[in-house]
Amino acid sequence: MTWIGIRILITLLLLVSQNLPAQNIIANAQVETTQLSKTSARAIFAMRAQEWPNGTPIKVFVLEDQNPIHSQFCKTILGMFPYQLRRIWDRQVFSGTGAAPEVVKSEQEMLDAVANTAGAIGYTDKEISHTNKRIKTIKVDL
Amino acid sequence: MKARLISILFCFSTSVLADNDQWYDNVVLHGFASQGYIYTTDNHFFGSSDNGSFEFTEVGINGSLRLNPKIRLSAQLLSRQAGRFDNGSPRLDYGLIDISLYSSPKYSSGLYIGRIKNEIGLYNETRDVAHTRSAIFLPQVIYFDKVRNTIMAADGMHFYNNVNFDSGALFMEVGAGYTLADENVEYAYMGNDWGGSIHNDKLGLFGKLLYEHNGGQWIYSITGTRVTLDFDASASDRAPLPLGPGLHSGEIAIDYTVLSAQYNGEKWQFTGEVAFENVDYIDIGGPVSQMHINSIGYYLQANYNFTPAWQGFVRYEEFQLDKHDWNGKKAAEQNIINSRQLAALGINQPPVPAHEYYSQSWVIGGRWHITQNLMLRTEYHIVDGVATLSPRENNVTDTTRKWDMFAMSLSYRF
């Protein structure tokens, strides 16, 4: 009985881990950067970095605060919680010292926005196919 | 000043932008609106709260325009009604040009020029925006509403310098500017609305050093300001008073320093802040020379996220107007002596009691994010002492030492 219990538990854990999708930072294909440190990724998504090394303005897209994909992205890639990012953005927006990112409603909207906006950066839990010429994946050193 | 600043911003924006863009296409607008309800068992806070008060309304709108990666303009209009402190007339909350001098993912520096919010403690910069506060009211022991304008914002220039390390980020800012003095300041620092007036024609200094460890899991900061206000005594202020000479013109020098620490976890957040204020009265004399403001205020708050939308908190806060006279004991004894002397002269003036000099309270509350932009809050305060209340709303010789406060608020932002 115990053995069956353990096997069920292991199966469930495997299921859960399979359901946790890999998070990828994505960017408009014109962006030259291919790799970011965690520090830089935090600075960009906190809206504290204004431009890419080549001078193109950075345009950040995120999903809504309570979207599970957003929450997962914050925790696994940035090592932060959604409420911390929200607090940073709100401080900047309501003291005039900075901005908040553009919020999109769905993953499809995210992909479209990143594909069509110069300097855009966002994230997805979908695999970006190699044939997609308008979106690139950016590696993050965790 | 307001009109001039806004017209400069607009002229600037239209001349710098490329021809094919209308300047207003690039303006990003945000705003907020919040309505509070306050009930106190005794005493007045934001209106006649002992009968229930709705006199706590905040509405604001701001716009920001990025002209290019180096230059950004932003301004916010604010209307705030708060009992007798604020009557709701709209004003320029901030209006600034942000010039980036250097920016890379590791390091950035720049200048803010215009009307700039001061970074005092963790919350002063955005203290009128409900969504950015930790509760309906920020702890009054540090974020005094009775003197908010002295430290709120200033017209001047700040220099900022931010460094990103692998372990965290360091933020430094120094600035100078003219603060916005008002009648509330006179009540708080001079005990009364005198015939003369307070001016702000001396430069105030502001500074901040803040370290965010590991993306803000831990935040530590020290922030401070030194502000000097001029008091011009009127003829009636100079006339001798029953117990001594009247007032002279002089200066009020205010030093204010806040130390802050915060832990941000997935479920728990802990915040502690302590503020030291020292006020020197130079040449003013008269009864004001008997005021000793050498205060300390501190609080500890624990927040718990039941879910991302539901949060509860508990807080303890304390304020002592004179840290060398805990609970106002010596001051109250002196007031009784003064009152007896006045009575001998046939003047009936009851003594100001000890509980005017301190405030200790427990606060418990919670909030619910109904949607991402709409929030409902409630909280309950159990208070001993009235130092955080203003003489503008309360007769200082006739306040109740132990009182409770209940508050609710509904807030929207976009």
Side-chain angles (χ1 to χ4, degrees):
Chain A
M1 197 60 203
T2 329
W3 177 233
I4 292 173
I6 290 172
R7 283 180 64 175
I8 290 173
L9 190 69
I10 289 171
T11 317
L12 281 175
L13 281 173
L14 284 172
L15 279 174
V16 168
S17 56
Q18 277 166 2
N19 281 346
L20 274 186
Q23 295 279 339
N24 288 313
I25 288 190
I26 51 170
N28 184 275
Q30 304 294 317
V31 170
E32 290 165 11
T33 304
T34 55
Q35 195 154 8
L36 284 172
S37 67
K38 192 175 186 172
T39 307
S40 301
R42 277 177 176 162
I44 288 172
F45 282 93
M47 302 294 285
R48 287 167 174 164
Q50 314 305 341
E51 49 192 297
W52 294 105
N54 69 2
T56 317
I58 300 176
K59 184 89 181 136
V60 182
F61 292 93
V62 294
L63 292 162
E64 289 170 316
D65 288 7
Q66 295 192 27
N67 186 309
I69 298 167
H70 175 70
S71 179
Q72 196 64 27
F73 165 75
C74 291
K75 287 185 213 167
T76 57
I77 305 288
L78 303 180
M80 297 170 76
F81 303 109
Y83 77 85
Q84 289 175 288
L85 276 180
R86 174 55 63 188
R87 195 157 62 195
I88 292 169
W89 300 333
D90 275 351
R91 258 183 99 98
Q92 291 168 170
V93 162
F94 292 108
S95 66
T97 57
E102 189 130 334
V103 178
V104 288
K105 291 251 183 320
S106 67
E107 277 208 281
Q108 192 52 50
E109 216 179 297
M110 169 78 84
L111 296 174
D112 292 344
V114 172
N116 297 318
T117 313
I121 186 168
Y123 51 80
T124 181
D125 61 359
K126 294 195 179 10
E127 280 299 316
I128 299 298
S129 89
H130 294 293
T131 55
N132 192 326
K133 294 254 179 336
R134 297 160 73 200
I135 296 178
K136 65 189 284 188
T137 308
I138 291 185
K139 270 197 208 149
V140 181
D141 313 324
L142 294 178
Chain B
M1 180 65 202
K2 288 177 199 176
R4 206 169 61 202
L5 195 67
I6 289 171
S7 59
I8 289 171
L9 294 183
F10 285 165
C11 293
F12 196 50
S13 59
T14 41
S15 62
V16 178
L17 273 175
D19 295 337
N20 54 353
D21 272 343
Q22 289 296 319
W23 63 270
Y24 46 78
D25 290 337
N26 295 305
V27 173
V28 181
L29 290 176
H30 289 278
F32 58 92
S34 180
Q35 175 62 52
Y37 170 78
I38 301 152
Y39 173 79
T40 52
T41 53
D42 302 277
N43 306 325
H44 290 166
F45 186 67
F46 288 9
S48 302
S49 51
D50 50 354
N51 293 316
S53 166
F54 284 98
E55 292 180 33
F56 184 31
T57 312
E58 297 159 306
V59 181
I61 184 157
N62 71 56
S64 130
L65 172 62
R66 179 168 290 288
L67 296 175
N68 60 51
K70 303 278 180 231
I71 298 175
R72 204 174 44 79
L73 309 175
S74 65
Q76 178 160 283
L77 284 174
L78 172 73
S79 158
R80 179 175 184 266
Q81 197 198 4
R84 285 203 197 162
F85 298 119
D86 246 332
N87 63 9
S89 62
R91 60 171 181 267
L92 183 70
D93 191 35
Y94 62 76
L96 59 89
I97 302 174
D98 176 0
I99 301 168
S100 167
L101 299 175
Y102 181 82
S103 175
S104 75
K106 281 260 174 224
Y107 182 86
S108 63
S109 68
L111 294 170
Y112 301 131
I113 301 168
R115 175 165 297 174
I116 307 152
K117 303 302 280 287
N118 291 321
E119 299 203 61
I120 305 292
L122 296 174
Y123 297 102
N124 182 62
E125 252 187 320
T126 56
R127 65 193 279 169
D128 297 321
V129 188
H131 274 83
T132 69
R133 292 194 289 257
S134 53
I136 297 174
F137 302 106
L138 285 174
Q140 295 289 307
V141 298
I142 290 185
Y143 303 93
F144 318 122
D145 270 298
K146 61 183 198 177
V147 289
R148 60 203 309 279
N149 282 356
T150 26
I151 58 169
M152 192 71 194
D155 295 333
M157 186 166 94
H158 285 209
F159 171 70
Y160 64 86
N161 214 337
N162 307 333
V163 192
N164 289 316
F165 302 103
D166 286 340
S167 57
L170 185 66
F171 300 82
M172 291 162 278
E173 194 168 323
V174 288
Y178 298 102
T179 59
L180 319 166
D182 64 4
E183 268 178 29
N184 291 329
V185 172
E186 215 170 308
Y187 276 101
Y189 291 117
M190 301 186 65
N192 212 331
D193 183 11
W194 297 88
S197 54
I198 284 184
H199 302 284
N200 59 338
D201 41 17
K202 291 216 163 43
L203 272 181
L205 300 175
F206 312 94
K208 167 181 95 159
L209 190 63
L210 184 145
Y211 178 68
E212 270 185 14
H213 180 71
N214 193 19
Q217 185 184 19
W218 289 93
I219 299 173
Y220 308 96
S221 84
I222 175 165
T223 47
T225 176
R226 185 184 171 91
V227 174
T228 307
L229 303 170
D230 278 325
F231 175 71
D232 284 340
S234 70
S236 61
D237 297 336
R238 288 195 204 97
L241 295 162
L243 281 185
L247 301 182
H248 301 284
S249 294
E251 289 177 0
I252 306 171
I254 303 160
D255 277 312
Y256 199 63
T257 308
V258 182
L259 303 174
S260 315
Q262 187 171 62
Y263 168 80
N264 293 295
E266 184 160 23
K267 292 289 181 191
W268 288 99
Q269 295 155 60
F270 298 101
T271 311
E273 295 196 277
V274 56
F276 301 94
E277 183 183 33
N278 187 58
V279 181
D280 282 329
Y281 298 93
I282 300 152
D283 299 335
I284 297 177
V288 169
S289 63
Q290 280 188 18
M291 292 183 70
H292 297 286
I293 300 184
N294 190 348
S295 72
I296 180 169
Y298 70 90
Y299 74 88
L300 293 166
Q301 178 164 334
N303 292 49
Y304 185 78
N305 295 324
F306 296 101
T307 72
W310 288 87
Q311 186 186 71
F313 77 89
V314 59
R315 177 168 85 212
Y316 177 75
E317 55 182 80
E318 175 161 11
F319 178 82
Q320 294 286 346
L321 189 66
D322 185 352
K323 60 178 186 271
H324 303 302
D325 180 19
W326 214 256
N327 291 346
K329 210 165 158 241
K330 283 185 260 176
E333 282 165 10
Q334 183 62 44
N335 291 341
I336 290 170
I337 294 168
N338 290 353
S339 192
R340 282 199 193 121
Q341 286 175 344
L342 283 168
L345 297 170
I347 301 167
N348 177 30
Q349 191 185 307
V352 175
H355 65 257
E356 279 286 337
Y357 296 85
Y358 70 88
S359 168
Q360 292 151 348
S361 50
W362 282 98
V363 189
I364 182 165
R367 66 137 171 79
W368 173 34
H369 273 296
I370 303 168
T371 68
Q372 174 149 322
N373 294 333
L374 187 66
M375 176 178 64
L376 185 69
R377 268 188 174 138
T378 183
E379 63 195 46
Y380 197 85
H381 300 235
I382 301 165
V383 193
D384 180 356
V386 298
T388 54
L389 299 179
S390 173
R392 208 171 179 186
E393 290 197 314
N394 295 276
N395 177 352
V396 291
T397 60
D398 189 26
T399 50
T400 305
R401 182 184 143 188
K402 293 196 171 187
W403 56 291
D404 291 2
M405 174 160 79
F406 167 78
M408 275 186 92
S409 72
L410 185 65
S411 315
Y412 179 76
R413 64 117 186 265
F414 66 88

